[in-house]
Amino acid sequence: MEEEYTRVINITIIGVISWGLIFIIIRRIFANYSFDFSTRIVSTLHATTAVALATLSIQDWSCPVCPIASTSSLRQMETLAFSLSYMIYDLICSHFDQVISIDNAVHHCVCILGFVAGLFYQKCGSEMVAALWITEISSPFLHLREILKEIGYRDTDLNLAADVCFATIFSLARMVGGPYLVYVTISADNPILIKAMALGLQLVSAFWFYKILKMMRYKFIKRTMSNQKST
């Protein structure tokens, strides 16, 4: 157990440093673009890798969240430590931007606390890896829609397509898969802190789902009005 904790700590520390170096390199390459542009590229790299690692750490494909309330495997703990390092980096990095989002800070704190709790207890690795998959599967499209705006594709069909893909994947993952995962986590014999984190993450997801619905409603109304004016 001590060796596993040491490995998790090493992955986390090295990960935080690595993410910082990757950001600095990307910031230099895309110096003509905004701070947010570079952070979104790094976030896309993390989301893509995290989904791949989460997929590879699934123990039972007939039941991706199984075994429930079991001891975490080493691969699951490494996957969680990988994403924990990114969350810590991103929380720190966000304070160097000119605009600090309270919503984003709360989201990161909830995620970090959840990762730490799961790694400390070394339990419910299957549920936490599934939660990681659910929360990150829509992230590349979230960042793509903003990247497209900055490179000159704002209010285009391509940008709208990215918006629709993000909203659809987010809604299915967070509001269909999410509640099921919360139910499984809460009903199983998991530590109370893990259950609280699962419920907290779902509440955060519901809040973002509400904001996404408002955003998509605005997008379609704006597109409809633009088409009416052009005709």
Side-chain angles (χ1 to χ4, degrees):
M1 181 178 293
E2 186 174 340
E3 291 182 1
E4 292 178 347
Y5 277 130
T6 301
R7 184 168 180 78
V8 164
I9 292 172
N10 289 338
I11 290 174
T12 303
I13 294 174
I14 294 172
V16 172
I17 296 172
S18 298
W19 288 120
L21 292 175
I22 291 171
F23 171 77
I24 292 172
I25 293 171
I26 291 177
R27 190 80 183 101
R28 288 183 177 275
I29 294 174
F30 298 100
N32 294 329
Y33 292 95
S34 68
F35 184 96
D36 183 69
F37 184 89
S38 297
T39 59
R40 289 188 181 280
I41 292 179
V42 178
S43 297
T44 301
L45 290 174
H46 163 258
T48 304
T49 307
V51 169
L53 291 175
T55 302
L56 291 173
S57 67
I58 294 175
Q59 298 185 50
D60 184 0
W61 280 98
S62 64
C63 177
V65 297
C66 297
I68 298 171
S70 62
T71 301
S72 303
S73 68
L74 179 59
R75 175 171 286 185
Q76 289 172 339
M77 293 183 66
E78 290 174 342
T79 300
L80 296 176
F82 169 81
S83 283
L84 172 61
S85 71
Y86 168 78
M87 287 295 173
I88 295 173
Y89 142 79
D90 201 39
L91 181 61
I92 296 172
C93 187
S94 65
H95 286 80
F96 290 93
D97 196 4
Q98 295 180 350
V99 180
I100 298 177
S101 172
I102 300 299
D103 298 342
N104 192 50
V106 171
H107 167 70
H108 278 67
C109 289
V110 171
C111 290
I112 289 172
L113 185 57
F115 283 131
V116 171
L119 291 169
F120 175 77
Y121 288 113
Q122 292 191 354
K123 287 195 65 177
C124 59
S126 300
E127 298 95 312
M128 294 197 66
V129 165
L132 178 63
W133 194 94
I134 286 173
T135 55
E136 293 297 343
I137 189 66
S138 61
S139 293
F141 296 96
L142 165 66
H143 302 306
L144 175 62
R145 55 189 293 273
E146 297 299 331
I147 290 173
L148 287 172
K149 292 176 184 178
E150 188 153 349
I151 63 178
Y153 288 91
R154 181 184 294 271
D155 296 329
T156 62
D157 290 339
L158 182 61
N159 190 225
L160 181 62
D163 287 337
V164 172
C165 287
F166 165 65
T168 302
I169 295 173
F170 183 98
S171 300
L172 290 174
R174 301 285 191 104
M175 303 312 294
V176 177
Y180 170 73
L181 184 58
V182 171
Y183 168 76
V184 168
T185 303
I186 292 178
S187 60
D189 184 24
N190 285 314
I192 187 65
L193 184 58
I194 297 295
K195 294 181 179 182
M197 289 301 101
L199 183 59
L201 186 59
Q202 185 57 44
L203 291 175
V204 171
S205 296
F207 170 74
W208 283 110
F209 177 67
Y210 168 72
K211 295 187 71 171
I212 289 169
L213 287 180
K214 290 181 63 177
M215 179 268 292
M216 292 306 299
R217 180 175 179 272
Y218 168 78
K219 288 276 185 178
F220 282 117
I221 290 176
K222 183 179 180 180
R223 177 54 62 95
T224 302
M225 292 178 64
S226 177
N227 290 338
Q228 289 176 347
K229 287 181 180 180
S230 62
T231 57

